[in-house]
Amino acid sequence: MVLVTAPAARIAQFIGQPTQVVTLSGSLWSGRATLQGGLVAKWQGQWSGLIRGRLGATVEIQGPRTLLDGRIYASPWQIGLQDLSGRAGPEVLALGPNAAPCEGQAIIDIASITVSRSAVSGDGFVRISESTCQPSGGPAFTTPPLHLVLTSEDESGVATLTTDDTARDTMGRAQLGPDGWVKLRIDPNAARLMPGLPTSAPTELEFQLYTVP
């Protein structure tokens, strides 16, 4: 109980506060964070999770064009997200590092995302409206409506991006394994929207998102 009632700001000082966080108040059990772009995140701990040996909380995120709610949990063996649903505005995308400002809206319905040392899994989808993006120092480009589907393949979590129409043209695919490595494929359909990327064949990249202790 000492850990969950500790001030959230003090914990953030100890582990390092992300640059996207403007202010923190409350505790790890019940608190509030203001984020860049006018976003506010609130969380409230749930006693039922402690019975199963994990720390869980309900989460709500609000912003100018954003309203999301869901549940998060963590245990010594696994971290996860459950029942995240609602809408996300461009202020959410802007939180990403080096993200190009984009106008658009996303509808989110994610049943679960889990990450452990033995497996990563996902179940849900994100539908994104047509968006116009303006990269810094580059020309603007417009993306068509998009459909991101989260699934699982063996011990890895998979995110597949297609156009949100009858054609379902493939735009890309990302696969995250329990070792923290990401396999990313950008298909020519997506590359044509972003100047500088080759369009004759898919671009494939691998990088480590996090390290496993």
Side-chain angles (χ1 to χ4, degrees), residues 122-201:
D123 178 15
F125 68 85
V126 179
R127 304 183 90 117
I128 308 168
S129 68
E130 180 179 283
S131 302
T132 299
C133 305
Q134 179 59 70
S136 176
F141 62 90
T142 300
T143 64
L146 299 172
H147 191 206
L148 180 70
V149 178
L150 305 181
T151 56
S152 303
E153 185 177 294
D154 298 325
E155 75 282 359
S156 299
V158 178
T160 303
L161 185 66
T162 67
T163 55
D164 194 12
D165 53 21
T166 55
R168 293 291 189 201
D169 292 326
T170 302
M171 305 293 280
R173 185 177 189 268
Q175 180 174 328
L176 173 63
D179 57 359
W181 279 88
V182 176
K183 295 180 180 179
L184 176 65
R185 188 190 72 213
I186 303 172
D187 284 87
N189 289 323
R192 293 186 187 98
L193 302 174
M194 296 174 283
L197 290 179
T199 59
S200 58

Side-chain angles (χ1 to χ4, degrees), residues 14-71:
F14 180 74
I15 64 176
Q17 181 170 301
T19 57
Q20 295 89 340
V21 176
V22 180
T23 64
L24 277 171
S25 60
S27 66
L28 186 61
W29 184 255
S30 178
R32 168 190 173 107
T34 59
L35 311 175
Q36 293 176 353
L39 288 164
V40 176
K42 302 176 184 178
W43 61 91
Q44 176 61 56
Q46 295 181 303
W47 291 107
S48 59
L50 296 177
I51 298 174
R52 290 175 285 180
R54 66 190 193 189
L55 181 62
T58 59
V59 176
E60 182 181 279
I61 303 174
Q62 296 183 351
R65 294 174 61 186
T66 298
L67 181 58
L68 294 167
D69 61 75
R71 292 180 291 163

